[in-house]
């Protein structure tokens, strides 16, 4: 009973205390509410974070860049969840004290929770991201890959001429002309690559304009480069979108390759000439007349190679030695027959590579015997060399396989569209072996592509193949973009018709092609799924010899197929087949059937009639979501050698046991389709068996992916021995892989992915084997995630060749894992092999809470462990790690490029000693990681140093955030031997000679960025960003004298430095920082663009120099010719310095140099215009015709000594680009602009002025301008501010008027006007000329939405006398405490707000003419009116 008495009593007391309780007492009495609210909010944040993370992961898989705010949000959310986990645990502990709670504890906990709730709420409020990422801008693969560019005399000349033309003004169309095979495309790619690398253009795009170019495809490629997503699908619509998009890019190079005839680039959407003067076109063509028709301003001829150049290229490609042998003499003659054409040279050289002397002599003789081919107009001299290579394809071919098979393979490749990548699987379906394509690639007749399963044929070689097949026994026809049926005779053996219009004219019902063996037929390439090429079944009836039929986007019936007795291959892609099931019985000779993304009626028993079927592929077949195959149907296709059923299906593995000839199998299976007994296919070479929900972009060679399975895996026993890719997800019952799943060690395995296999403890258990097993010897990729029981990779002594080929390791969310690589447990055999982990290139570890060591290395094993190939290391949320690399391992990491570490709370050093027996005496400086470019460390609370006695000199980017215990980057112990300053080894001590970006945030114990170093070692530095480092004393140049005392002033000597590449300097919230740059020349920042210094209360000196010419009257003079942004805020101790910055755009000075000893010091007058950074009387010195016309933003705050912003006596200051002006706390400032200066403010948008107590006018009156300063009659041009939108003027007690008012509208775009607490203000708008108003002038402010006039005791006029202001867009009107206001406000029937001022000299006239308007308007009363705000406070006047 007592258990409930205390809580009840507490509740009564709480109710009585609520009304009188202070905010602190609520922590006692609303503890339950706060806890519940905290739990709900935290749970909501957890769920939201997971959803955002899923979206981010998906975006990254799509190769998107993540938005910065999304990344920051995730970081903040993870941080809050991590920090509040302890509070959540504490709540559970408090529950233990129900009966007698510990009040102090509850109060403290309640307060902590209450402080966290609004932070979490804010995160939830800001978590609704429309998009988490955006597409990476493409750069064009043509310019990334090597182009095998040869620097010949001709190519160098052409290259230089092209570059000269590209950079010439007025030249926008350049033509590169040359014969086939001379290297035009290669040269064009080299130009594009060079132009992009040198940043001559913002975008470089290249596309091929072949004879039958696909405009839609070209438009899509160009749009990808420009990051454009088309909203329209028509070619014309795309062209317009592309045209507008490209116009927004300043400089573009467009390379149009292989142009055959005149073409309007506007049809694609490419603007040039008058439409885009920054767009340059480089076209390549075989024919000079194309250059003329395209109106090229510069035509460049690319000639052939000289004899010597040709021989060098030929010798290289043929693999010949540079000697005087007889073979070389013959080879030189052969090379000469190639007529200097690079393409011919490469093809012939590759064809003859490795030939004997007799072979070379035979080839040479054949060249000399054949001359008739040189008369061909189209291909010219390249034909004979290609013919020689073609004839040599027969050499070495087994007579049993057909002497011409490889030649037929080559000819068939010419059937495909120009520049298309050809899928080798299609070639296999045409009866061509993979070995043939490999030989053709080696011969140079086919080209490699990025994909392993595709090849490409050069357009010149394709033309050569077409020439070969234009006559003779094997006649081919290839047509692209067919709109009407071509004239053809019966003699063709192969026909390819591509991109046939769905409304093709005179498409025949039947054709007679008695010799036709191969037919490729493709419908129109449209996005509309319903636009098929409709073909009648009778069309195929008279093709008696047809063996291969490939159809794409075709709708047809199989009824006409009975008359095709020889058809062996039918491949349908994106087609619609009618009468599929009922017609199968008539295709008894069919050996290959592939239906991909094709609609059919069903899969029926008729399939059994295809007794000769060897290859069956069903992929994306449009029957239904799950392919329902009749039971035991497939088992009766006993001739099958390859079976690929990609969609979800109902097949059972045991059903396939009768397919004894099966060599390749692809299946998608659910758990209930996997049998408990094993199955065996004795001839199976390739398989891809994946789970029901497994997602993958492509098929693998030998892959098993098993999901959601808890029974025995014995069904796959015969596959584990040679599986290459194994994925297990949510598979139970397995404690290890070896020996449980495979006793032989899965030595063919290259990729292993494990997820949520909660029974698995190790990959391998060798306790019983004692190290004799060979296991995982070929594993390249290891990905482990969410394995609740995983304790390590190996239990027992590591087996022979264990993980010796491992390249990538990713391990996440494994709660029990303590050590990953236990190198102390090695067999004796291992010690004689390749060093362990020597192939590892990528290591990513995430959320391993118990991980103590990544690698455990005994001193005796150091020599057999190496990380020599490691390039990327990423470690996150491994809270128990104290160090990552030992010195011996760190020294072996010769290729490390990127290192990312975050949320490792106990990490003390990145490089350190993990074990007592590993510690060695070291008094020498270690240099490690010679290729490390990027170092990112974040939220490592215990980190003190990156390393001890170690230098990393290759770093280009350093990011360190929230490492609160970090003292300095490098820890150099006292016993370390350092080179003497000025000694021979001095230069080797430069800490970061390649560093470009340095960013350090929230490191509150950091005192020095790098101690005991010299700033000469930072000559590559481009960006410095340091903030919230409260103990930081000096950023650079911290050295110590012989007594160990810091030297922080120019006592260092007379040597000055130049920061030749520094562009951005940002220092914020460093409370103890006193110095930034010591000993810097005035010219020491030639590229500096931005300086931001904020909240550094002790900062004394930014720059110092020992050169007399850099110091004028104790003021540092700094020349920064490219400076655009300067902000110095809340640095009250800073010494005044002077900047010469001709390009300044943004200037912010706030609370700078306000200490007494810094004020009232005279600033010297210089011969040039300059900016005075400090609390001086003048901000800008205007000298030497320097107008400050580039400035866009000017903000001056709390500069108590400033009297004038600029003394514009010569009236040369023009501010045509100024958009924002903010003045606050400039107490001695009397005015802002001269009349001439004010007339230049055409772009001013925002004007904010507050707490400028002495200011009387914004614009100096004409009578206050000295006659000697007049540069012309200022009254000639009326004063106007055409873009001013927002005006706020507050607490300027001496201000008497705001704006002069002329005879034209002055504030056409004004949206907001707030005037508050300006006690002497009499008029807002003041007439420029004091003239008597005889007729009322109406003035409209069409954009003004908010007008506020408050606490203005002296205000008499808002609008000038005799004027009538109208505000059609007014939403909010506030007038308060303006007792003298003679301007009245009213609204009309449209709710337009009006105002007029009483004119005393016209009182009687107004009373007669306007009896209602002025008389009924509200004067000197408080007004609080808003549109649509209910009953109006303003009178309606019609």
């Amino acid at each position: 009973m007592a258990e409930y008495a205390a809580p009840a009593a507490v509740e009564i007391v709480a109710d009585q205390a609520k009304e009188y309780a202070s905010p602190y007492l609520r922590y006692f009495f609303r503890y339950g509410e706060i806890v519940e609210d905290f739990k709900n909010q935290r749970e909501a944040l957890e769920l939201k974070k997971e959803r955002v993370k899923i979206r981010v992961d998906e975006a990254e898989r799509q190769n998107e860049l993540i938005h910065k705010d999304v990344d920051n949000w995730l970081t903040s959310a993870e941080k809050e969840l991590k920090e509040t986990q302890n509070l959540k645990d504490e709540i559970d502990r408090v529950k233990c004290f129900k009966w007698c709670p510990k009040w102090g504890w509850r109060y403290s906990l309640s307060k902590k929770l209450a402080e966290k709730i609004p932070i979490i709420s804010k995160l939830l409020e800001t978590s609704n991201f429309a998009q988490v990422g955006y597409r990476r801008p493409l750069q064009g693969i043509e310019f990334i890959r090597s182009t095998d560019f040869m620097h010949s005399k001709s190519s160098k000349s052409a290259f230089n001429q092209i570059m000269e033309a590209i950079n010439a003004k007025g030249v926008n169309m350049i033509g590169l002309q040359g014969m086939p095979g001379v290297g035009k495309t290669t040269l064009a790619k080299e130009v594009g690559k060079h132009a992009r690398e040198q940043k001559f253009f913002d975008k470089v795009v290249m596309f091929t304009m072949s004879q039958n170019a696909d405009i839609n495809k070209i438009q899509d490629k160009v749009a990808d480069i420009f990051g454009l997503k088309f909203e329209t699908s028509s070619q014309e619509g795309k062209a317009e979108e592309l045209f507008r998009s490209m116009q927004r890019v300043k400089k573009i190079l467009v390379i149009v390759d292989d142009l055959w005839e005149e073409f309007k680039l506007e049809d694609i959407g490419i603007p040039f000439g008058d439409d885009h003067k920054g767009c340059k076109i480089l076209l390549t063509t075989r024919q000079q007349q194309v250059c003329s028709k395209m109106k090229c301003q510069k035509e460049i001829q690319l000639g052939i190679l000289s004899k010597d150049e040709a021989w060098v290229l030929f010798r290289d490609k043929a693999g010949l030695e540079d000697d005087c042998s007889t073979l070389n003499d013959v080879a030189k003659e052969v090379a000469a027959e190639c007529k200097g054409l690079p393409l011919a040279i490469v093809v012939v050289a590759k064809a003859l590579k490795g030939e004997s002397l007799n072979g070379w002599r035979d080839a040479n003789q054949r060249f000399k015997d054949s001359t008739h081919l040189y008369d061909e107009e189209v291909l010219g001299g390249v034909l004979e060399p290609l013919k020689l290579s073609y004839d040599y394809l027969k050499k070495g071919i087994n007579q049993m396989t057909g002497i011409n098979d490889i030649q037929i393979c080559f000819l068939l490749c010419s059937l495909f569209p120009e520049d298309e990548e050809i899928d080798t699987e299609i070639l296999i379906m045409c009866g061509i072996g993979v070995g043939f394509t490999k030989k053709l690639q080696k011969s140079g007749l086919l080209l490699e592509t990025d994909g392993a399963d595709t090849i490409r044929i050069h357009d010149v070689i394709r033309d050569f193949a077409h020439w070969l097949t234009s006559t003779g026994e094997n006649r081919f026809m290839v047509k692209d973009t067919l709109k009407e049926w071509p004239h053809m005779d019966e003699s063709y053996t192969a026909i390819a018709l591509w991109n046939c219009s769905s409304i093709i004219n005179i498409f025949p019902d039947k054709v007679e092609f008695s010799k036709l063996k191969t037919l490729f037929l493709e419908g129109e390439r449209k996005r509309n799924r319903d636009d098929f090429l409709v073909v009648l079944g009778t069309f195929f009836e008279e093709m008696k010899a047809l063996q291969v039929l490939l159809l794409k986007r075709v709708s047809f019936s199989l009824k006409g197929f009975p008359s095709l007795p020889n058809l062996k291959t039918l491949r349908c892609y994106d087609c619609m087949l009618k009468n599929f099931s009922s017609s199968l019985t008539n295709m008894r000779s069919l050996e290959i059937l592939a239906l991909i993304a094709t609609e059919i009626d069903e899969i029926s028993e008729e399939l059994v009639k295809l007794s000769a079927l060897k290859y069956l592929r069903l992929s994306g077949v449009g029957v239904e979501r799950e392919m329902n195959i009749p039971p035991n149907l497939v088992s009766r296709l006993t001739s099958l050698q390859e079976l690929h059923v990609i969609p979800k299906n109902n097949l059972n593995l045991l059903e396939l046991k009768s397919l004894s000839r099966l060599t390749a199998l692809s299946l998608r299976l659910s758990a209930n389709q996997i049998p408990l007994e094993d199955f065996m296919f004795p001839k199976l070479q390739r398989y891809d068996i994946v789970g029901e929900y497994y997602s993958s972009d492509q098929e693998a060679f030998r892959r098993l992916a098993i999901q959601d399975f808890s029974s025995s895996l014995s069904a796959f026993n015969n596959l584990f021995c040679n599986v290459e890719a194994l994925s297990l997800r949510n598979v139970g019952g397995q404690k290890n892989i070896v020996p449980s799943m495979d006793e032989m060690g899965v030595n063919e395995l290259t990729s292993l992915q494990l997820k949520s296999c909660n029974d698995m403890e190790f990959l391998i258990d060798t306790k019983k084997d004692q190290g004799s097993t060979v296991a995982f010897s070929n594993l390249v990729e290891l990905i482990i995630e969410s394995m609740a029981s995983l304790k390590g990779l190996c239990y027992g002594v590591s087996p022979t060749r264990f993980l010796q080929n491992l390249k990538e390791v990713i391990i996440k969310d494994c709660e029990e894992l303590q050590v990953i690589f236990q190198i102390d447990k090695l067999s004796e055999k291992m010690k004689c092999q390749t060093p362990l982990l020597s192939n590892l290139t990528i290591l990513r570890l995430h959320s391993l809470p118990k991980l103590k060591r990544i690698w455990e290395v005994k001193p005796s094993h150091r020599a057999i462990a190496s990380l020599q190939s490691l390039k990327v290391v990423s470690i996150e949320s491994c809270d128990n790690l104290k160090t990552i690399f030992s010195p011996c391992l760190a020294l072996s990491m010769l290729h490390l490029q990127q290192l990312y570490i975050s949320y490792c709370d106990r990490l003390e050093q990145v490089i350190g000693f993990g074990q007592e027996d590993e510690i060695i005496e070291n008094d020498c400086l270690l240099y490690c990681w010679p290729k490390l470019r990027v170092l990112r460390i974040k939220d490592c609370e215990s980190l003190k140093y990156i390393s001890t006695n170690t230098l990393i000199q290759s770093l280009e980017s350093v990011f360190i955030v929230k490492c609160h215990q970090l003292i300095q980057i490098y820890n150099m112990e006292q016993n370390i031997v350092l080179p003497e300053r000025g000694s021979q080894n001095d230069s080797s001590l430069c800490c970061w000679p390649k560093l470009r970006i340095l960013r350090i945030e929230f490191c509150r114990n950091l005192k020095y960025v790098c101690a005991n170093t010299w700033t000469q070692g930072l000559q590559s530095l481009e960006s410095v960003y340091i903030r919230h480092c409260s103990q930081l004393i000096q950023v650079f140049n911290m050295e110590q004298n012989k007594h160990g005392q810091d030297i922080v002033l120019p006592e260092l000597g007379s040597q000055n430095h130049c920061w030749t590449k520094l562009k951005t300097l940002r220092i914020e919230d460093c409370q103890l920082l006193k110095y930034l740059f010591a000993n810097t020349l005035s010219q020491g920042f030639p590229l500096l663009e931005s300086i931001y210094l904020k909240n550094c209360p002790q900062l004394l000196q930014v720059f110092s120099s020992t050169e007399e010419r850099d110091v004028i009257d104790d003021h540092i003079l700094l020349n920064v010719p490219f400076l655009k942004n300067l902000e110095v805020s809340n640095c009250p101790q800073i010494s005044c310095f002077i900047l010469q910055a001709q390009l300044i755009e943004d200037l912010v000075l706030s609370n700078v140099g306000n200490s007494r000893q810094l004020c009232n010091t005279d600033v010297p007058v210089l011969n040039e215009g300059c900016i005075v950074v400090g609390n001086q009387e003048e901000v800008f010195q205007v000298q030497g015709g320097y107008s400050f016309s580039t400035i866009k933003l000017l903000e001056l705050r709390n500069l108590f000594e400033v009297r004038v912003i600029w003394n514009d006596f010569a009236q040369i200051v023009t501010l045509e680009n100024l958009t924002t002006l903010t003045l606050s706390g400039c107490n001695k400032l009397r005015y802002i602009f001269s009349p001439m200066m004010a007339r230049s403010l055409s772009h001013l948008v925002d004007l904010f002025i507050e707490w400028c107590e002495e200011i009387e006018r914004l614009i100096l009156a004409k009578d206050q301008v000295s006659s000697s300063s007049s540069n012309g009659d200022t009254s000639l041009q009326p004063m106007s501010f055409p873009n001013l939108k927002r005006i706020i003027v507050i607490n300027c007690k001496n201000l008497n008027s705001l704006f002069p008012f002329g005879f034209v509208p002055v504030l056409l775009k004004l949206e907001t006007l707030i005037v508050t607490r300006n006690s002497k203000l009499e008029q807002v708008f003041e007439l420029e000329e004091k003239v008597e108003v005889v007729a009322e002038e109406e003035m409209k402010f069409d954009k003004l939405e908010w007008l506020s006039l408050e606490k203005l005791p002296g205000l008499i006029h808002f609008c000038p006398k005799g004027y009538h202001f109208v505000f059609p867009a007014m939403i909010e009107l506030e007038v308060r405490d303006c007792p003298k206001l003679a301007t009245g406000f009213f609204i009309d029937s449209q709710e337009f707000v009006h105002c007029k001022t009483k004119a005393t000299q016209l009182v009687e006239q107004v009373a007669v003419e306007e009896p209602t308007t002025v008389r009924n308007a509200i004067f000197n009363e408080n007004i609080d009116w808003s549109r649509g705000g209910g009953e109006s406070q303003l009178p309606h006047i019609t």
Side-chain angles (χ1 to χ4, degrees), residues 43 136 141 181 189 229 231 352 430 483 546 562 657 746 807 925 944 1159 1175 1200 1221 1320 1345 1363 1367:
E43 184 178 357
R136 295 174 185 269
I141 192 68
K189 287 181 180 179
K229 289 186 177 180
E231 300 294 330
L352 296 174
C430 296
K483 293 186 177 178
L546 192 64
K657 291 183 73 172
V746 286
K807 291 185 178 180
L925 190 64
K944 295 179 180 179
C1159 298
N1175 192 11
F1200 305 132
L1221 175 62
K1320 292 185 180 181
E1345 297 178 350
Y1363 278 83
F1367 311 111

Side-chain angles (χ1 to χ4, degrees), residues 573-590:
Y573 182 90
D574 194 13
C575 292
M576 184 179 292
L577 268 65
K578 301 171 184 176
N579 312 111
F580 173 74
S581 298
S582 58
S583 304
L584 289 174
T585 189
N586 300 314
M587 294 189 288
R588 295 182 183 274
S589 298
L590 201 64

Side-chain angles (χ1 to χ4, degrees), residues 126 346 433 502 894 898 954:
T126 57
V346 171
S502 57
L894 301 177
Q898 301 171 35
S954 57

Side-chain angles (χ1 to χ4, degrees), residues 26-88:
R26 67 185 287 267
Y27 299 141
F28 280 116
F29 300 111
R30 292 190 177 177
Y31 171 76
E33 294 175 26
I34 292 172
V35 167
E36 190 63 27
D37 191 12
F38 169 78
K39 283 183 174 180
N40 292 338
Q41 294 274 19
R42 189 180 185 280
E43 184 178 357
L45 182 61
E46 277 186 310
L47 296 173
K48 177 61 75 172
K49 187 214 111 183
E50 285 302 316
R51 285 196 291 270
V52 173
K53 188 70 169 66
I54 289 169
R55 292 178 63 194
V56 166
D57 291 344
E58 178 58 29
E60 287 177 337
R61 278 195 294 273
Q62 299 301 322
N63 199 31
E64 291 184 356
L65 292 171
I66 305 305
H67 287 297
K68 184 78 173 175
D69 57 338
V70 177
D71 210 15
N72 290 342
W73 186 92
L74 267 178
T75 300
S76 299
E78 288 173 353
K79 176 194 170 192
E80 289 304 322
L81 288 172
K82 188 173 182 181
E83 289 180 356
T84 54
Q85 179 63 45
N86 294 332
L87 297 177
K88 189 169 176 289

Side-chain angles (χ1 to χ4, degrees), residues 237-252:
K238 287 182 180 179
E240 185 174 343
E241 286 188 59
L242 202 51
F243 192 91
R244 301 300 174 207
S245 177
M246 292 179 71
Q247 279 186 318
R248 289 192 289 269
V249 180
K250 190 174 180 181
K251 297 181 72 177
I252 305 169

